Amino acid sequence: MKILMKGNEAIAEAALRAGCECFFGYPITPQTELLQYMAKKLLKSGGVFIQAESEVGAINMAYGASSCGKRVMTSSSGPGISLKQEGISYLAGAQLPCVIVNIMRGGPGLGNINAAQSDYLQATKGGGHGDYKVIVLAPSSVQEAVELTMKAFDLADKYRNPVMILGDGMLGQMMEVVEFDENYQPQKVEKPWAVTGDRNREKRVTNSLYIVPEELEKHNFMLMEKYKKIKENEVMVEEYLTDDARVIFVSFGMCARIVKSAVNRLRQAGEKVGLVRPITLWPFPENELKRYASKEEVEFFIDIEMNLGQMLEDVKLSVEGKKEIHFYGRTGGIVPTIQEVVDFYYSLKK
């Protein structure tokens, strides 16, 4: 059945259908509808909903519930996600699954409540302390947000790792038709590490504290091996009209929808252009970009973002200097138009 839903509410509904048992959050625009939807629906399905006293409280409640083996979600935006960073590091260090939704807004500081992509570096490089990684998924439509939210819970349990849905204010607030798989059943994952209060077994401890340096180093090397497996198996990317492309656009999330429309317009004008859209921002689709950088017919790349070039570092590292990379971005909550992208392309062809 097809339903017209706002992005924030569709993500919340997808979480419920994925078996989310506990939600902890705090209101902040432009993601508050997600919290409101959970407040209405989660208790009715037998789950736990708590509006915490702060974002710091919410992420630590998520830590506690995940330690007990529950499917857990929290959400926020911009400054709220910044406040959660210590807790996200704790979750990663203790290998606790959790789904975190960031509906990005303009920054830095309080910024504004308009759509932006200014949290890319925070999400992909680890905004907290220590050697850790968070799986980062970037939907470009409300339907894809639904699908990636359901996948996020499975990935979090599979790898015992936090997973972030990185959307923006446009995705969270817009309404689109979505369709849910009525036959979907949440994966049942055994969690022999969970703290359940059972006295008739060996003691279990949830912990990220390793006082002895050698023990912490061993733990970090173990985490690194897990991250290698994620990079090998979980990269997701869309490649659009790239087979004969001479210029490759790179963009993610809602901004990539604008770029895709620009690609279509340029194709109609006879220009051989294509789009590579990373769906996983971490792990980043390095190999796909390397492949295009090695093709003789590809002249250069164009990175389009709703920030000042935060993904540009990853694009450069992937291309390895084999091709020139140009960047165009808008910031402060301003969304680039299709015509802006087209005009920028032609400015480079002169």
Side-chain angles (χ1 to χ4, degrees):
M1 182 174 67
K2 295 182 178 180
I3 312 171
L4 183 65
M5 296 190 79
K6 183 176 278 195
N8 283 330
E9 295 179 342
I11 291 171
E13 179 62 28
L16 293 170
R17 291 173 181 246
C20 179
E21 299 167 277
C22 302
F23 180 93
F24 310 99
Y26 189 82
I28 182 172
T29 306
Q31 65 82 49
T32 300
E33 292 88 354
L34 198 162
L35 180 142
Q36 290 172 330
Y37 194 93
M38 282 297 205
K40 292 177 183 177
K41 300 279 188 170
L42 188 54
L43 294 175
K44 293 178 181 178
S45 63
V48 173
F49 171 89
I50 297 178
Q51 179 178 312
E53 73 279 8
S54 68
E55 289 88 351
V56 175
I59 195 67
N60 284 289
M61 291 176 188
Y63 182 105
S66 183
S67 296
C68 298
K70 302 299 182 181
R71 279 199 154 182
V72 182
M73 180 189 239
T74 186
S75 68
S76 194
S77 177
I81 293 293
S82 296
L83 288 167
K84 294 178 188 285
Q85 290 303 321
E86 181 186 34
I88 294 172
S89 176
Y90 283 12
L91 285 161
Q95 296 198 86
L96 291 174
C98 179
V99 175
I100 304 152
V101 180
N102 181 1
I103 303 298
M104 293 180 284
R105 56 189 261 175
L110 286 174
N112 61 33
I113 62 174
N114 296 320
Q117 294 182 324
S118 51
D119 299 351
Y120 178 96
L121 286 174
Q122 181 191 61
T124 60
K125 306 305 179 188
H129 56 289
D131 291 319
Y132 77 95
K133 289 290 186 182
V134 172
I135 299 171
V136 184
L137 309 177
S140 68
S141 69
V142 177
Q143 179 64 52
E144 190 174 44
V146 165
E147 294 162 3
L148 290 181
T149 298
M150 298 172 105
K151 186 176 182 66
F153 281 95
D154 293 337
L155 288 173
D157 280 344
K158 180 179 179 180
Y159 292 105
R160 289 185 60 186
N161 206 73
V163 178
M164 181 172 286
I165 304 292
L166 196 65
D168 62 56
M170 206 169 11
L171 178 76
Q173 294 297 320
M174 72 187 297
M175 296 188 76
E176 288 190 310
V177 173
V178 296
E179 193 166 7
F180 293 93
D181 181 0
E182 300 298 337
N183 296 318
Y184 172 83
Q185 293 294 326
Q187 292 183 8
K188 298 294 183 181
V189 179
E190 293 297 321
K191 299 183 178 181
W193 45 265
V195 180
T196 58
D198 187 349
R199 295 185 177 184
N200 301 313
R201 56 161 171 75
E202 292 183 4
K203 182 173 68 173
R204 298 173 182 172
V205 177
T206 300
N207 178 52
S208 64
L209 176 65
Y210 297 86
I211 294 295
V212 179
E214 290 79 9
E215 291 181 1
L216 180 56
E217 183 181 55
K218 181 180 178 181
H219 179 69
N220 280 324
F221 280 137
M222 181 272 295
L223 291 178
M224 185 178 70
E225 289 301 314
K226 176 173 72 173
Y227 301 146
K228 284 182 181 178
K229 290 180 182 178
I230 295 171
K231 288 184 71 173
E232 290 169 1
N233 298 310
E234 304 301 342
V235 171
M236 292 185 286
V237 60
E238 179 187 6
E239 298 166 77
Y240 183 70
L241 299 179
T242 54
D243 288 346
D244 65 341
R246 302 188 68 85
V247 175
I248 302 290
F249 285 91
V250 187
S251 191
F252 73 93
M254 288 296 293
C255 191
R257 287 178 71 167
I258 298 164
V259 175
K260 183 180 282 189
S261 296
V263 166
N264 289 335
R265 188 177 295 182
L266 288 166
R267 279 279 176 172
Q268 290 171 1
E271 301 291 334
K272 291 186 176 181
V273 296
L275 167 67
V276 173
R277 177 175 71 93
I279 300 172
T280 49
L281 302 184
W282 194 88
F284 192 76
E286 301 169 6
N287 292 332
E288 286 73 14
L289 288 178
K290 285 178 184 178
R291 176 160 47 85
Y292 290 112
S294 299
K295 295 175 71 172
E296 290 185 11
E297 60 268 31
V298 172
E299 298 173 9
F300 56 86
F301 291 78
I302 304 175
D303 177 15
I304 308 286
E305 304 179 54
M306 285 156 53
N307 58 48
L308 293 179
Q310 295 192 21
M311 186 175 65
L312 189 56
E313 291 181 10
D314 286 333
V315 177
K316 286 181 176 179
L317 288 169
S318 302
V319 171
E320 297 178 324
K322 294 176 182 176
K323 293 290 191 302
E324 195 171 1
I325 304 165
H326 301 276
F327 173 77
Y328 183 82
R330 300 301 303 267
T331 185
I334 296 176
V335 178
T337 66
I338 298 168
Q339 192 60 48
E340 283 179 50
V341 176
V342 170
D343 289 346
F344 183 71
Y345 169 81
Y346 281 123
S347 74
L348 299 172
K349 296 291 284 185
K350 290 179 181 179

